[in-house]
Amino acid sequence: MKKLILTISFLLTTTFLFAQKNGSILGVLVDSANHKTTLNYSTVSVYKLGDSVLSTYKLSDDKGTFKINNLQTGIKYRLIITAWLYGTYRKEVELTAQNPIVNLGTLYLSTKANDLNEVSIVAERPPVIVRKDTIEFNAESFKTLPSAVVEDLLKKLPGVAIAGDGSIQVNGKTVSKILVDGKEFFGGDQQIATKNLPANIIDKIQVSDDKDAKRQDPDLLAVNTPQVINLKLKKAIKQGAFGKLYGGGGLPNGRYEAGGIMNFFRDTTQVSILGYGNNVNKSGFSVSEIMRIGGMQRTGVNSMMVNSDGGFALNGVSFGGAASGVQTSAGAGANFNTLTKKGAKLNLKYFFGLSNQENITLSDSRQSLGTGDLLSSTNQNQLNKLYSHNISGRGEFKIDSLHKFIITPSVTINNTRNAGLLLTQTRDINNIELNNGYNQSRTVGDNVEYQISSNLWKDLKKNKGSINTTLNLMKRNNYTDYFNNTISNFYNPNSTQILDQLRDNNIKNQGAYLSINFTRILNKKLNLTIAGNGNYLNNENALATFYKDPNNQAYDIAIPTLSQTVNQKGFKTNTRTSLRWKITKDFSIQPGIIFNTINLENSFTSYPSFNQSFKFIAASGTIRYKDFSIDYTPNFREPDVNYIQPVANNTNPLYIQNGNPNLVPTKTHQVNLNLYKYDVKNSLNYNVWGGGSIDNDAVIMARTISATGAQTSTPINVDGIIRLNAGLNFSKDIKKDKRQITLGTGFYTNFTRNLVQVNNIRSYAKILSITPRISGKLNLNDKVEISTSYNLGINNSRYDDSYFTNINYFTHMSDNELIVRLPKKLVWETTYRINYNTQTVAGFNNKIQIWNAGLTYLFLKNDRAQLKFSINDILNTNTRRYVSISENTIRDTRYNNLGRYGLLTFTYNIQNFGGKVGGKDTFFRF
């Protein structure tokens, strides 16, 4: 907390010092021929007299007025005013202590004449020019470090915001494409250009509306229109290579990391290769780099998993990185991308990943019960090995000006080899032991998935609409052998149960999915949309359970009561029809109707077959007014096939889960609202959203708890499950001279009214969480960067029935980062995280502190080489902790971690594409 107060104090003091520049220049820009025509979004550049370096600038607003603040007094300035289609206006202004504010009044600019003798003064190029529907930035007006890449340059531009995942917004609008000299670079991948091209080769940055998006949706609101950035280079690039190599080692326990990534391009063909390995819980590459360079983004992502510390898996392939445990991971891959002479885009990629992770998990939970709280403790040691392969491709073919065809095949292979030991103990409120268990397990799993997706897009003539057709075919085989040996002791009355068994679970899924989306523009006011999809299912879940034969030590004693095969075949359809009525320019409504059907046949080995045949019809609707929208959407989904399988999962005799073939589909009615606004004039960005849903025939787990503490869960249908959520994000960017300040605040709240059923006693559980937050960032000419954030978590649960006890707790979390690039060639960086929790389920230390630090030395030409020494977890906390409320239970879970270690890493950047060094969100995490 002390560090947080000092950081905030520093931010406030720095902001106060900046405010001492109290000089201002203001005025109004008007057409000299027509005095009623104001010159909007014109550039007013300010230079110190006799100096060619830009001091600051401002764009005139939508009324032609401008005001430039934070200018020094006692200095003469030179103003250069430029407007599209108008001649340049120049004026000298002096600010004094007696007269710090100068009002220039109305300034008249004349239209530009085609003067062949006009002299262009390069030093006076305006930083920003607005040309009709294009904003053009002069790159030389925004200074960056010598090793900076395009992303660092974009961060300097007014109105440009770059998120942690690398996505870009300009004046609140999403950037859909980044072009290099008007052409796609590396298959049109945005971040290949922004994170790899050096900033010093850029001449201009041009921003304009995405014409393809407007063509596909002529009624697209201006606030929702995607943007295209075109990078104009000083000199065209036809071929080249860029990348980096790194390697390092440390103590204790032989810590290491190594990897490399290289990219080669020639005209319209690009090849990327990468590889990495480490035992320090790192992914080696970020999600965005795998998406971009790896080609996942170009071939499509069907599934994604990301943890809080940067580890992730895409399309079933693990790329390492663990928020807990101790992990060794490695991976390699290659990507080929080309654009043929006929305009076809072809892509092929392959990835391999492996991880070996040891997790030690300690968990304590408290269930509130009218007969006295039930206390449970577990100690689990798990060793998980995963081997993943993914090969996929993508072809995009533009048949003609109206037709485009895309096909994407892929194959994913996963092999898991896991082993674990679980110790469990259950006690009553008087700390009297009710049971304990020993569970040793081993898992052998092999999964293969084949998928091919195709899409045909057709634009109707005269921009009257479009037809979009998608066909997906999928086949998945998942074979799992789960061996477990358990010893369960019960003390009321005394008994012991020994179990040594094999659960052979073979799951086969096949399916075909077809969707057609038709949009027709009837007139300037009305749009008709008809969308339908059909899904064919053919799923088999074959479960066979065997006990070990003590004579031959083989698992060959079949247990019919714990074995069952479920076959599920049938069709599902979903048809949506809506009519959008554009009442005014800013206001539209879109009522619609949704019709769903489910027709499934479920057959079992030793249970009567039954059919599921359901129809669901409901209204839908969307209302939009300017930047505000609200929509209502119903949906209808059948229970998972695992829930309807009438066989108990007895792998842990202390926690048994039954199946229920009598489950029916869940009906959900959902409402969402959203307000997004970016104030260009004041660089304010705010977003307000909210939503709510109600589920009928929702699936919950009904539990029974015996006198011995053993628990049995059975899925059942219930009505009236309510979920509400709301949030607010607010941020302001202040970009002045060589400093940038970003201030942010907001909150997130979630309310759930769920049903809890324990020992046939049913009660509503009303769980509320509120998380307000505040954050700030300060950048002083890239020499000093400070960021801090604080989150308060308020969590409580209330129950209608006195059988259950109310629960509440608070969490406090703060993240802080400091980067200092002084003296030259040295980068100092440190991060500090503190997590404090008021809940004491097991009397555990509630204050978790994680402190990391590093020092990087830059050398060789353009800082191509870097030597970094970093220390992880200086305080040797060596754990992660999470507290959560679910139903009538509060659970406190702790995970082991790497603990303190030091690492010395050498990095070599090829062709100076290294980017700005320092920061937890850059290439290297520590």
Side-chain angles (χ1 to χ4, degrees):
M1 184 61 68
K2 190 176 192 180
K3 292 178 177 288
L4 174 64
I5 294 172
L6 289 174
T7 304
I8 295 175
S9 300
F10 182 81
L11 283 170
L12 295 175
T13 302
T14 307
T15 305
F16 175 75
L17 291 174
F18 291 157
Q20 302 308 302
K21 296 181 178 181
N22 56 4
S24 300
I25 301 174
L26 61 153
V28 181
L29 305 181
V30 176
D31 187 307
S32 61
N34 184 353
H35 292 185
K36 293 183 179 181
T37 302
T38 58
L39 305 185
N40 308 334
Y41 308 113
S42 301
T43 307
V44 182
S45 306
V46 180
Y47 299 82
K48 292 180 181 179
L49 195 63
D51 192 350
S52 62
V53 178
L54 179 72
S55 295
T56 186
Y57 74 97
K58 192 75 173 180
L59 292 179
S60 60
D61 62 17
D62 54 2
K63 297 180 181 179
T65 62
F66 67 90
K67 184 177 183 180
I68 304 173
N69 297 317
N70 299 318
L71 297 175
Q72 295 179 355
T73 56
I75 292 180
K76 291 184 178 180
Y77 288 100
R78 184 163 50 93
L79 269 61
I80 309 296
I81 302 174
T82 53
W84 186 51
L85 299 180
Y86 286 81
T88 303
Y89 184 98
R90 298 179 176 87
K91 189 174 183 65
E92 292 182 7
V93 178
E94 181 177 5
L95 301 178
T96 64
Q98 296 76 23
N99 188 23
I101 301 176
V102 175
N103 188 342
L104 300 177
T106 302
L107 303 179
Y108 299 98
L109 275 68
S110 302
T111 55
K112 193 172 185 179
N114 293 323
D115 188 352
L116 297 178
N117 296 320
E118 181 180 356
V119 178
S120 175
I121 304 175
V122 176
E124 293 182 351
R125 286 177 60 187
V128 182
I129 299 176
V130 179
R131 288 190 176 95
K132 199 175 181 180
D133 58 353
T134 300
I135 304 174
E136 183 176 283
F137 299 93
N138 171 27
E140 292 183 350
S141 297
F142 305 91
K143 301 302 179 184
T144 57
L145 295 174
S147 61
V149 292
V150 168
E151 183 177 79
D152 300 317
L153 173 61
L154 293 176
K155 289 179 180 178
K156 303 282 186 180
L157 306 183
V160 177
I162 300 180
D165 62 0
S167 59
I168 305 172
Q169 288 188 333
V170 178
N171 295 331
K173 302 177 183 179
T174 301
V175 172
S176 58
K177 298 177 186 176
I178 288 189
L179 307 177
V180 177
D181 281 337
K183 299 178 181 178
E184 291 187 349
F185 186 69
F186 267 72
D189 198 316
Q190 292 187 29
Q191 297 180 46
I192 286 284
T194 60
K195 291 183 177 293
N196 294 285
L197 291 177
N200 57 22
I201 70 170
I202 306 300
D203 180 40
K204 300 174 183 176
I205 301 102
Q206 298 170 329
V207 181
S208 59
D209 289 344
D210 187 336
K211 295 180 180 178
D212 289 338
K214 296 187 72 173
R215 176 175 55 83
Q216 293 175 10
D217 186 359
D219 290 333
L220 193 65
L221 299 176
V223 69
N224 297 324
T225 303
Q227 301 292 282
V228 175
I229 291 179
N230 181 37
L231 305 173
K232 297 285 291 184
L233 306 182
K234 295 177 181 177
K235 184 178 180 181
I237 298 178
K238 294 296 183 181
Q239 60 182 1
F242 55 89
K244 62 177 68 180
L245 302 171
Y246 69 94
L251 297 173
N253 302 320
R255 300 300 172 201
Y256 72 90
E257 65 174 354
I261 187 167
M262 281 299 302
N263 307 272
F264 308 91
F265 64 93
R266 180 186 296 274
D267 294 330
T268 57
T269 299
Q270 303 90 31
V271 176
S272 302
I273 57 174
L274 59 87
Y276 77 95
N278 68 73
N279 63 355
V280 288
N281 288 17
K282 290 185 179 181
S283 58
F285 304 100
S286 67
V287 176
S288 61
E289 285 167 325
I290 295 297
M291 292 282 284
R292 296 178 289 106
I293 300 172
M296 284 284 189
Q297 183 168 278
R298 293 188 286 276
T299 52
V301 174
N302 302 319
S303 64
M304 175 184 293
M305 182 281 299
V306 181
N307 66 43
S308 58
D309 275 28
F312 62 94
L314 300 173
N315 286 358
V317 178
S318 172
F319 290 93
S324 61
V326 178
Q327 183 190 75
T328 298
S329 64
N335 172 260
F336 171 82
N337 190 81
T338 189
L339 179 66
T340 68
K341 293 181 179 180
K342 294 184 178 181
K345 300 177 184 178
L346 303 177
N347 180 273
L348 181 66
K349 69 172 172 57
Y350 166 76
F351 275 104
F352 165 74
L354 67 88
S355 66
N356 189 341
Q357 183 169 342
E358 182 180 9
N359 282 331
I360 299 175
T361 306
L362 303 177
S363 179
D364 293 276
S365 65
R366 178 191 295 267
Q367 285 194 64
S368 62
L369 301 171
T371 55
D373 288 357
L374 193 67
L375 308 176
S376 299
S377 300
T378 62
N379 184 337
Q380 184 175 21
N381 193 321
Q382 189 79 17
L383 182 63
N384 298 329
K385 296 182 180 180
L386 175 64
Y387 306 87
S388 308
H389 305 263
N390 177 262
I391 182 169
S392 61
R394 187 177 190 271
E396 181 176 326
F397 308 91
K398 192 170 184 178
I399 302 173
D400 53 39
S401 60
L402 298 177
H403 295 80
K404 182 171 68 175
F405 178 69
I406 300 173
I407 185 168
T408 306
S410 70
V411 179
T412 301
I413 302 173
N414 284 324
N415 307 109
T416 58
R417 302 293 184 265
N418 303 335
L421 176 63
L422 174 66
L423 304 179
T424 306
Q425 183 187 58
T426 305
R427 294 164 285 121
D428 64 16
I429 191 62
N430 298 314
N431 212 32
I432 297 176
E433 188 173 26
L434 300 177
N435 64 53
N436 62 57
Y438 168 95
N439 192 331
Q440 187 175 27
S441 63
R442 181 167 60 91
T443 304
V444 178
D446 298 296
N447 178 280
V448 181
E449 180 176 329
Y450 309 91
Q451 186 166 319
I452 184 168
S453 175
S454 59
N455 176 267
L456 177 63
W457 181 281
K458 173 182 173 60
D459 287 322
L460 302 181
K461 294 181 179 180
K462 299 181 180 181
N463 292 332
K464 289 295 184 180
S466 63
I467 301 175
N468 186 17
T469 304
T470 299
L471 175 63
N472 293 335
L473 303 176
M474 180 274 295
K475 181 177 181 180
R476 182 189 302 116
N477 295 328
N478 190 350
Y479 304 126
T480 304
D481 288 337
Y482 183 78
F483 302 85
N484 75 299
N485 182 359
T486 68
I487 302 175
S488 303
N489 299 307
F490 303 93
Y491 300 107
N492 187 22
N494 292 342
S495 65
T496 298
Q497 178 181 340
I498 298 176
L499 184 69
D500 193 353
Q501 68 177 15
L502 161 65
R503 282 171 60 93
D504 184 355
N505 199 186
N506 296 332
I507 301 175
K508 299 178 181 180
N509 302 116
Q510 298 182 58
Y513 174 86
L514 174 66
S515 71
I516 301 176
N517 191 311
F518 170 75
T519 300
R520 176 72 179 184
I521 301 174
L522 304 178
N523 53 48
K524 293 182 179 181
K525 296 288 186 179
L526 296 176
N527 281 9
L528 175 65
T529 298
I530 301 175
N533 64 66
N535 194 357
Y536 168 72
L537 306 175
N538 186 357
N539 301 326
E540 179 184 276
N541 188 330
L543 173 63
T545 302
F546 302 90
Y547 287 162
K548 179 187 277 189
D549 188 333
N551 297 319
N552 59 15
Q553 297 297 302
Y555 292 93
D556 56 6
I557 302 177
I559 310 300
T561 58
L562 296 175
S563 302
Q564 191 72 243
T565 296
V566 181
N567 287 102
Q568 186 179 72
K569 296 181 180 180
F571 293 88
K572 298 191 299 180
T573 66
N574 185 342
T575 304
R576 305 178 306 278
T577 302
S578 64
L579 184 67
R580 184 170 63 179
W581 179 22
K582 190 175 181 181
I583 301 174
T584 67
K585 178 183 177 181
D586 300 320
F587 180 58
S588 67
I589 60 174
Q590 188 171 355
I593 295 176
I594 294 178
F595 178 63
N596 289 3
T597 66
I598 295 178
N599 291 282
L600 299 175
E601 179 183 342
N602 301 280
S603 58
F604 304 85
T605 306
S606 57
Y607 189 89
S609 300
F610 66 90
N611 295 333
Q612 293 174 295
S613 182
F614 304 96
K615 293 181 175 61
F616 177 71
I617 186 169
S620 66
T622 300
I623 299 175
R624 289 189 177 92
Y625 178 71
K626 292 186 177 180
D627 304 326
F628 173 79
S629 66
I630 181 170
D631 66 85
Y632 161 70
T633 306
N635 67 61
F636 190 57
R637 61 188 183 277
E638 76 279 6
D640 189 273
V641 67
N642 291 323
Y643 283 168
I644 66 174
Q645 192 172 47
V647 174
N649 183 341
N650 70 331
T651 53
N652 187 342
L654 304 182
Y655 299 91
I656 296 175
Q657 179 174 317
N658 294 321
N660 182 1
N662 298 316
L663 293 176
V664 299
T666 300
K667 306 177 186 68
T668 301
H669 301 270
Q670 184 167 328
V671 176
N672 291 299
L673 57 91
N674 185 68
L675 172 63
Y676 179 81
K677 181 69 176 179
Y678 184 82
D679 186 338
V680 178
K681 182 178 179 180
N682 298 302
S683 297
L684 293 176
N685 189 349
Y686 57 89
N687 179 215
V688 182
W689 76 93
S693 67
I694 181 168
D695 290 350
N696 290 323
D697 287 323
V699 177
I700 68 166
M701 289 294 177
R703 281 176 291 136
T704 58
I705 303 175
S706 69
T708 62
Q711 303 184 43
T712 303
S713 299
T714 303
I716 62 173
N717 288 116
V718 297
D719 290 336
I721 304 301
I722 296 176
R723 297 179 179 87
L724 303 174
N725 66 83
L728 166 68
N729 282 325
F730 175 90
S731 65
K732 177 173 176 60
D733 291 327
I734 304 172
K735 299 182 180 182
K736 296 291 184 181
D737 297 335
K738 298 179 180 180
R739 61 187 181 274
Q740 298 181 55
I741 301 174
T742 301
L743 302 175
T745 186
F747 74 91
Y748 175 78
T749 182
N750 184 74
F751 171 80
T752 302
R753 191 190 76 168
N754 206 347
L755 268 173
V756 179
Q757 181 170 317
V758 179
N759 291 337
N760 294 320
I761 297 176
R762 180 177 291 191
S763 172
Y764 279 117
K766 300 171 183 176
I767 303 173
L768 173 67
S769 66
I770 304 174
T771 308
R773 62 175 180 80
I774 186 171
S775 63
K777 293 182 181 181
L778 171 66
N779 185 328
L780 300 178
N781 197 28
D782 290 328
K783 301 299 183 185
V784 178
E785 293 185 50
I786 301 173
S787 66
T788 183
S789 67
Y790 169 73
N791 296 272
L792 171 64
I794 305 169
N795 307 271
N796 70 73
S797 181
R798 297 289 181 267
Y799 303 90
D800 291 344
D801 196 296
S802 59
Y803 185 79
F804 305 104
T805 305
N806 297 335
I807 305 171
N808 66 81
Y809 69 96
F810 297 87
T811 58
H812 305 266
M813 177 177 286
S814 175
D815 265 307
N816 306 277
E817 181 179 24
L818 171 65
I819 305 170
V820 179
R821 298 184 179 89
L822 291 171
K824 192 175 182 180
K825 302 296 182 180
L826 289 179
V827 180
W828 308 78
E829 50 187 322
T830 183
T831 63
Y832 175 76
R833 175 186 297 176
I834 183 171
N835 188 336
Y836 177 75
N837 197 299
T838 63
Q839 181 55 237
T840 55
V841 177
F844 187 74
N845 176 21
N846 288 358
K847 189 176 181 181
I848 304 296
Q849 301 177 81
I850 307 294
W851 180 22
N852 304 326
L855 172 62
T856 303
Y857 172 61
L858 312 176
F859 57 104
L860 298 185
K861 183 179 179 181
N862 293 326
D863 300 335
R864 288 188 180 181
Q866 303 162 14
L867 189 64
K868 178 176 182 177
F869 175 66
S870 59
I871 302 178
N872 178 81
D873 196 3
I874 296 173
L875 302 177
N876 204 26
T877 303
N878 196 27
T879 191
R880 296 289 190 270
R881 182 183 185 223
Y882 303 93
V883 177
S884 62
I885 297 175
S886 176
E887 297 183 333
N888 65 319
T889 303
I890 184 165
R891 182 170 286 104
D892 186 332
T893 307
R894 285 90 63 200
Y895 302 92
N896 67 316
N897 205 261
L898 284 170
R900 182 168 53 214
Y901 69 87
L903 199 65
L904 184 65
T905 303
F906 172 77
T907 303
Y908 182 74
N909 296 302
I910 300 169
Q911 293 297 322
N912 190 31
F913 289 86
K916 188 169 65 173
V917 177
K920 63 183 178 181
D921 294 324
T922 56
F923 186 87
F924 300 105
R925 302 177 64 89
F926 67 93

